[in-house]
Amino acid sequence: MDAMTLLHQRRSMGKLAGPAPTAEQLEALYRAALRAPDHKEMTPYRFIEISGEGLDRLGELFARADYQANPHIDDATLDAARKKPKRAPMIIAVIACVTPDLPKVPPVEQIISAGCAAHAMLYAAFAQGLGAMWRTGTYAHDKTVWRGLGLGEHEELIGYLYLGQPGGRYPQPPVRDPQTYVERWQ
Ligand SMILES: Cc1cc2nc3c(=O)[nH]c(=O)nc-3n(C[C@H](O)[C@H](O)[C@H](O)COP(=O)(O)O)c2cc1C
């Protein structure tokens, strides 16, 4: 796939089947992430690769987060939370590792850099014929989940990349007119 086709055609795939990406495919994803724009070369991110029983552990964390938010929650809702990570054979949690109080690289720049790394991984997945989808939702912002994943004081979970084999039919991406988004100063 040539670069412009990749840039113009990448799309998210929410319905994913097994198997999980191979070690080689994952290496290519991480290499792409590590080429993200990065002010002062801080590589302000890290990843947790979750598959197999790790998906069950993550599901338990999601259920625990729901229970702590509402101890009266019903069992069916907790079960639904447990199953969420099973929507893909692998999830990579992308974590921004923020160094505070850096005048030239404020936290927002470091978080953007981590977001660029995640985006690069989506492209690397698509280029290799994998399906991928960036998800957040309440479990991405929940402190119980963050603690369970071992996030440090200055770390933030910026998203879960669900990864696997394309498992459904996907609509064509919307065609948008770039001119609508551009103002020119000439
Ligand atoms: C930071 C971020 C968080 C997202 N969280 C979710 C989510 O929790 N659930 C969801 O359905 N889509 C979420 N999305 C959107 C999808 O990943 C995807 O971009 C969207 O469905 C559009 O599809 P496309 O990437 O093919 O254009 C999120 C996107 C971003 C950038």
Side-chain angles (χ1 to χ4, degrees), residues 10-13 122 133-137 158 173-174 176:
R10 182 210 62 81
R11 74 183 75 161
S12 300
M13 300 183 197
L122 295 182
M133 178 134 175
W134 184 339
R135 293 182 186 272
T136 49
I158 63 157
R176 298 190 177 108

